[in-house]
Amino acid sequence: MKMNMIIGQSGGPTSVINSSLAGAIEYAINSKVIGNVYGMINGIEGLLEDNIICLSDMFSQMPQEIHRLKHSPAMFLGSCRYKLSHTEEEYDRLFEILNKYHIGYFVYIGGNDSMDTVEKLSRYTKEKNIDIKIVGIPKTIDNDLVGIDHSPGFGSAAKYIATCVREVAYDTSIYSIKSVHIIEAMGRNAGWLTAASVLARAEYMPAPHLIYLPEVPFSVEQFVCDVKKKLEEYNSVIVVVSEGIRDKNGEYISANSATSADQFGHARLSGAAAYLKTVVEEQIGCKVRALEPSVLQRSAGHIISQTDVNEAFNLGTVAARAAEEGKTGVFATLTRTSNKPYTVQYGIEDVKVVANQEKTVPRDFINEEGNDVTDKMITYLRPLIRGVAQTPFRNGLPDYIDIRHLDVRKQKYRN
Amino acid sequence: MKMNMIIGQSGGPTSVINSSLAGAIEYAINSKVIGNVYGMINGIEGLLEDNIICLSDMFSQMPQEIHRLKHSPAMFLGSCRYKLSHTEEEYDRLFEILNKYHIGYFVYIGGNDSMDTVEKLSRYTKEKNIDIKIVGIPKTIDNDLVGIDHSPGFGSAAKYIATCVREVAYDTSIYSIKSVHIIEAMGRNAGWLTAASVLARAEYMPAPHLIYLPEVPFSVEQFVCDVKKKLEEYNSVIVVVSEGIRDKNGEYISANSATSADQFGHARLSGAAAYLKTVVEEQIGCKVRALEPSVLQRSAGHIISQTDVNEAFNLGTVAARAAEEGKTGVFATLTRTSNKPYTVQYGIEDVKVVANQEKTVPRDFINEEGNDVTDKMITYLRPLIRGVAQTPFRNGLPDYIDIRHLDVRKQKYRN
């Protein structure tokens, strides 16, 4: 009897995490080795509750729905922030469910916390001689995963931020008065997404004028000096800051710094731009606005990078094939082999490489003053946002995939 | 000798105000009657300072640049919020400049304040027998202009808001916990743009669950009841509020209500969503987020409505032709002649109709409870966001038109 595959998604969403899901589903439903393809609703947490849907039923006869899934943001299978307790009792429950569905292949899409889950589960299955192959697919808009040139999801978020910054710069260009706009980008400890705003620049468009990453200690005094200097040269100054900028003592600049922490102990941030707005008001006194694109950075499926979509899809394929071929405790990864033309090579890697690690921005990707990025960063970023994706539209709006199955209390919509 | 045309833009930007400019320029440079086409930088204010560029030189041999202008947000000519003092001295200065450039046709693109300028200037030229035709082209994302079925600029802002709401709804769908997201839309006294969020709904997507317009007095108590009720039915509740919602005494709900006023006496608003976030935190206690797309509503050129782009362009053409034909004190307008198929008829109308008026949402476009819109609103809105615009892209980003000429201190970039 063929063994079945189960797929889950975990952590925060990206605009292309469903592209990876689509890649894995397409590979698995066409595989002669893999039986049915199931999805766990809300990750490991849903798995423990036997909250399972049959993806083969949903997608086998619907290639156009695979295309729609590939171009739909957020997470078709829902997410969880559940951390496994790794007790025998919990593992028993988990493998009881997996056994019930005859699972031989377990694919988990997520960030470094999720890759930790893959690592622990694969170690357990090896120890217990359980024949389930556990494979991870990385994702994060933060681009802070090690063992991969760049994370799927990052390119689309980067494209969104760069687009926003360019459009805000156009918006602010219209009045001949002094103004400052401060845009806050996501990225707790890694400044990759903040840095991506640099792509908004063109020969006729110097915005963003200042970029502050969390990798360099932030000085409010220096910030005020920097802004004043730019205001001498430009009417309208656009500043992009990471949500995670900290002073030299490691204290968050955000107004509500570290008021709470999530289950993994990460500080929940908000308000770096809002706080700096008050600083500019008080110490410079010109017109100033703070903008926080917030969750749209990770869910703006209407402006995703085709490069990112394709890579995320391909990594889904690579992971499903690795599981089919008997690999376990690995994740699908990609290596950049050339910038001109931009090419990547796909492969797999031991999941220990990526689990619980964090890739921050190297110092030489940031200028000496710590208020801009260098050409090394620009060279790294440029190819990742390329390509206008074929997001389906209907009646003028992006026509994303039906997600009614996620609302568990709406039983009428359940598969 | 042929008389020349001068064009200006004024008020807040929209994503398609440059489409109207493109339409007017294209018509005028192809006209056998009109001489050169000039642009005033920063509207009337720039005109008084003789800050003029020659649009004929810039665009005559560059049809592809007309296309780029048509698809670039913000204001190619810059804006002003300058209110004419209407003193003889000021008029003398104004007509001295117009005379210097042999202006016979004066086209002004803006909202109802700008149409007031058109009205006053055309009255003055008639009184003084000055042979300059003064014609207006309407624009506003607020859709609050009378004398026109809908304002150019509104359809694109509506498409942006509906897209954002749909994407936030997808983003929030992933966790099986209770949450509330409050999105604040622009529109001081008119709720059209807030209402447009309704288009995010699909058969599989009930968001936005609640919509509050400024036309109906807002009750915080009722809002809390409404949200609680929706939370019984849905995990994730999406609320869209206008920046201008007021209580029954006319007081703004926003935290920083009416702290300042602009030159026209309009209260400057911010923070309705931020305030309601604290209300939900205190009185309901679930996860809650406030989102303020802010200026992106009016400048997101990457997701404009093709219908809106075309209509804005056509109104530019209609205005330039009206001026050429000797009309003055009029504005270009459109009437909807059918919904299925959607058709409009272009024409001109006395500018008195639109100047200083405000079109708010009729009561029967809003449901009885005042927390949603009716089918009449949906029928009205639907055609306006249709069509994926042909915004040019380069290196993964929208490739908007060069606006270096707007920075007056950058003389090296001046034409």
Side-chain angles (χ1 to χ4, degrees):
Chain A
M1 203 189 97
K2 284 184 193 174
M3 297 301 280
N4 300 323
M5 176 176 281
I6 194 161
I7 312 177
Q9 296 174 309
S10 186
T14 82
S15 295
V16 303
I17 186 168
N18 285 333
S19 312
S20 291
L21 177 62
I25 293 173
E26 190 182 82
Y27 185 89
I29 59 183
N30 289 317
S31 160
K32 297 201 183 344
V33 177
I34 301 164
N36 279 331
V37 187
Y38 294 102
M40 50 188 111
I41 298 295
N42 298 122
I44 284 282
E45 193 171 4
L47 179 64
L48 288 167
E49 291 163 1
D50 198 359
N51 194 357
I52 310 289
I53 58 175
C54 183
L55 296 167
S56 307
D57 287 352
M58 291 174 100
F59 291 100
S60 281
Q61 308 305 322
M62 316 267 277
Q64 77 285 11
E65 285 303 290
I66 290 276
H67 177 83
R68 191 187 307 284
L69 179 64
K70 187 176 170 183
H71 294 88
S72 293
M75 289 154 96
F76 182 72
L77 297 174
S79 184
C80 68
R81 291 266 185 197
Y82 184 78
K83 208 172 163 72
L84 280 176
S85 63
H86 307 290
T87 57
E88 280 298 323
E89 196 186 345
E90 195 178 56
Y91 278 134
D92 285 349
R93 172 72 185 144
L94 199 92
F95 288 98
E96 180 195 326
I97 306 278
L98 293 176
N99 200 35
K100 174 179 162 190
Y101 289 93
H102 301 287
I103 301 301
Y105 316 95
F106 180 111
V107 175
Y108 212 47
I109 317 174
N112 43 26
D113 293 325
S114 307
M115 293 307 113
D116 180 57
T117 301
V118 169
E119 203 274 320
K120 293 211 169 81
L121 284 179
S122 63
R123 189 154 20 115
Y124 186 84
T125 51
K126 282 179 208 163
E127 282 166 16
K128 301 284 179 181
N129 272 320
I130 299 167
D131 189 23
I132 301 181
K133 309 305 172 198
I134 319 272
V135 176
I137 304 175
K139 68 89 211 166
T140 171
I141 63 162
D142 293 343
N143 198 39
D144 59 354
L145 300 180
V146 300
I148 189 162
D149 178 76
H150 55 277
S151 310
F154 171 66
S156 294
K159 185 184 187 109
Y160 178 79
I161 279 289
T163 303
C164 282
V165 169
R166 182 170 286 185
E167 291 176 340
V168 170
Y170 269 78
D171 191 90
T172 63
S173 70
I174 68 162
Y175 294 118
S176 59
I177 55 162
K178 296 285 175 189
S179 70
V180 175
H181 283 70
I182 307 164
I183 298 162
E184 182 173 320
M186 283 178 165
R188 197 184 286 116
N189 299 317
W192 298 104
L193 190 52
T194 306
S197 65
V198 72
L199 299 174
R201 282 186 201 149
E203 60 270 35
Y204 52 83
M205 168 60 72
H209 304 83
L210 295 164
I211 303 173
Y212 298 98
L213 311 190
E215 283 83 356
V216 175
F218 185 87
S219 152
V220 172
E221 292 71 39
Q222 190 56 48
F223 163 78
V224 172
C225 287
D226 290 351
V227 172
K228 279 183 177 166
K229 205 168 154 195
K230 291 292 178 187
L231 279 170
E232 283 169 21
E233 202 181 347
Y234 304 99
N235 266 339
S236 159
V237 171
I238 312 280
V239 184
V240 184
V241 300
S242 157
E243 62 175 342
I245 48 169
R246 271 156 288 193
D247 65 20
K248 63 183 192 308
N249 302 317
E251 299 291 327
Y252 286 110
I253 300 300
S254 56
N256 318 307
S257 54
T259 48
S260 62
D262 70 12
Q263 213 190 331
F264 293 97
H266 307 141
R268 275 197 193 125
L269 305 178
S270 78
Y275 171 71
L276 293 174
K277 174 177 185 272
T278 65
V279 169
V280 173
E281 277 167 345
E282 286 164 18
Q283 299 190 37
I284 300 180
C286 68
K287 179 180 168 186
V288 53
R289 218 184 242 125
L291 281 103
E292 210 185 325
S294 184
V295 297
L296 291 166
Q297 289 164 80
R298 64 189 195 194
S299 55
H302 71 277
I303 180 88
I304 48 182
S305 151
Q306 187 63 51
T307 303
D308 194 23
V309 171
N310 289 341
E311 290 177 350
F313 185 89
N314 290 342
L315 287 168
T317 306
V318 167
R321 188 175 53 219
E324 183 195 52
E325 290 173 352
K327 308 288 196 306
T328 189
V330 295
F331 73 105
T333 187
L334 58 80
T335 312
R336 187 185 314 214
T337 42
S338 161
N339 262 320
K340 282 189 180 182
Y342 171 72
T343 52
V344 297
Q345 197 170 347
Y346 297 94
I348 55 167
E349 182 76 71
D350 190 318
V351 78
K352 282 195 204 83
V353 170
V354 63
N356 294 319
Q357 303 294 316
E358 205 167 39
K359 180 180 72 181
T360 55
V361 175
R363 189 60 184 83
D364 65 343
F365 278 42
I366 307 171
N367 73 344
E368 210 180 318
E369 298 85 348
N371 60 14
D372 204 343
V373 299
T374 61
D375 285 345
K376 278 191 182 176
M377 177 64 94
I378 297 171
T379 303
Y380 171 82
L381 292 169
R382 254 204 191 119
L384 311 184
I385 66 164
R386 295 237 170 104
V388 176
Q390 299 309 305
T391 306
F393 273 73
R394 193 162 59 105
N395 295 332
L397 291 178
D399 190 22
Y400 300 133
I401 200 155
D402 189 335
I403 50 165
R404 270 176 292 195
H405 57 279
L406 287 182
D407 203 336
V408 289
R409 283 147 317 111
K410 298 268 161 204
Q411 288 300 332
K412 61 184 168 180
Y413 300 133
R414 298 281 299 160
N415 284 279
Chain B
M1 204 190 95
K2 284 182 188 175
M3 295 302 280
N4 299 323
M5 175 177 281
I6 194 162
I7 312 177
Q9 296 175 309
S10 184
T14 81
S15 296
V16 302
I17 185 169
N18 284 333
S19 313
S20 291
L21 177 61
I25 294 173
E26 190 181 82
Y27 185 89
I29 59 182
N30 290 315
S31 160
K32 297 202 182 344
V33 177
I34 301 165
N36 279 329
V37 187
Y38 294 102
M40 51 187 111
I41 298 295
N42 298 121
I44 283 282
E45 193 172 4
L47 180 63
L48 288 167
E49 291 163 2
D50 197 359
N51 194 355
I52 309 291
I53 58 175
C54 184
L55 296 168
S56 307
D57 287 351
M58 292 173 98
F59 290 101
S60 280
Q61 309 303 325
M62 317 266 279
Q64 78 284 12
E65 286 302 291
I66 290 277
H67 177 83
R68 190 187 310 283
L69 178 65
K70 187 176 171 182
H71 294 89
S72 293
M75 289 154 96
F76 182 71
L77 296 175
S79 183
C80 67
R81 291 265 185 202
Y82 185 78
K83 209 171 164 75
L84 280 177
S85 63
H86 307 292
T87 56
E88 280 299 321
E89 195 187 344
E90 195 177 56
Y91 278 135
D92 285 349
R93 172 72 184 145
L94 199 93
F95 287 99
E96 182 196 325
I97 306 279
L98 294 176
N99 200 38
K100 175 180 163 189
Y101 290 92
H102 300 289
I103 301 301
Y105 316 96
F106 180 110
V107 174
Y108 212 47
I109 317 175
N112 41 27
D113 295 324
S114 307
M115 295 306 115
D116 180 56
T117 301
V118 169
E119 203 273 320
K120 294 212 169 81
L121 284 181
S122 64
R123 191 157 15 116
Y124 186 84
T125 51
K126 282 179 207 161
E127 281 166 16
K128 302 283 180 180
N129 272 319
I130 298 167
D131 189 23
I132 301 181
K133 309 306 172 196
I134 319 273
V135 175
I137 305 174
K139 70 87 212 169
T140 171
I141 64 162
D142 293 343
N143 198 38
D144 61 353
L145 299 180
V146 300
I148 188 161
D149 179 76
H150 55 278
S151 310
F154 171 66
S156 294
K159 185 184 188 108
Y160 178 80
I161 278 289
T163 302
C164 282
V165 169
R166 181 169 287 184
E167 291 176 340
V168 169
Y170 269 78
D171 191 89
T172 63
S173 69
I174 67 161
Y175 293 117
S176 61
I177 56 163
K178 296 285 177 189
S179 70
V180 176
H181 283 69
I182 307 165
I183 298 161
E184 181 172 321
M186 282 179 163
R188 197 182 287 115
N189 299 314
W192 297 104
L193 190 52
T194 307
S197 64
V198 72
L199 299 174
R201 280 186 202 148
E203 61 271 34
Y204 52 83
M205 171 59 73
H209 305 84
L210 295 163
I211 302 173
Y212 299 98
L213 311 190
E215 283 82 356
V216 175
F218 185 87
S219 154
V220 172
E221 293 71 38
Q222 190 55 50
F223 163 78
V224 172
C225 287
D226 290 350
V227 171
K228 280 183 175 164
K229 204 168 155 194
K230 291 292 177 186
L231 279 171
E232 284 169 21
E233 199 180 349
Y234 304 99
N235 266 340
S236 159
V237 171
I238 313 279
V239 184
V240 185
V241 299
S242 157
E243 61 175 343
I245 47 169
R246 271 156 287 194
D247 66 20
K248 64 184 194 307
N249 302 316
E251 299 290 328
Y252 286 110
I253 300 299
S254 56
N256 317 307
S257 54
T259 48
S260 62
D262 70 13
Q263 212 191 333
F264 294 98
H266 306 142
R268 276 199 192 123
L269 306 178
S270 78
Y275 172 71
L276 293 174
K277 174 178 185 270
T278 65
V279 169
V280 172
E281 278 167 344
E282 285 164 17
Q283 299 192 36
I284 300 179
C286 68
K287 179 181 168 186
V288 55
R289 218 185 242 127
L291 282 103
E292 208 184 325
S294 184
V295 297
L296 291 166
Q297 289 164 80
R298 65 189 194 193
S299 55
H302 70 276
I303 180 88
I304 49 182
S305 151
Q306 187 63 51
T307 302
D308 193 23
V309 171
N310 289 341
E311 290 177 351
F313 185 89
N314 290 341
L315 287 167
T317 306
V318 167
R321 188 173 54 221
E324 182 196 50
E325 289 173 351
K327 307 290 197 304
T328 188
V330 296
F331 72 105
T333 186
L334 59 79
T335 312
R336 187 184 314 215
T337 42
S338 161
N339 263 319
K340 281 189 181 180
Y342 171 71
T343 52
V344 296
Q345 196 171 346
Y346 297 94
I348 54 168
E349 182 76 73
D350 190 319
V351 78
K352 282 196 204 81
V353 170
V354 64
N356 294 318
Q357 303 292 316
E358 205 168 40
K359 179 179 73 180
T360 55
V361 175
R363 190 58 184 88
D364 64 344
F365 278 43
I366 307 171
N367 75 343
E368 210 180 318
E369 297 85 348
N371 60 15
D372 204 343
V373 299
T374 62
D375 285 345
K376 278 191 182 174
M377 176 64 94
I378 296 170
T379 304
Y380 171 82
L381 292 169
R382 254 202 192 122
L384 310 184
I385 67 164
R386 294 236 172 105
V388 177
Q390 297 311 303
T391 305
F393 272 72
R394 193 161 60 106
N395 295 333
L397 291 178
D399 191 21
Y400 300 135
I401 200 157
D402 189 334
I403 50 167
R404 271 176 289 195
H405 57 279
L406 287 182
D407 203 334
V408 288
R409 284 147 318 108
K410 299 267 161 205
Q411 288 299 333
K412 60 183 170 180
Y413 299 136
R414 300 281 300 158
N415 284 278

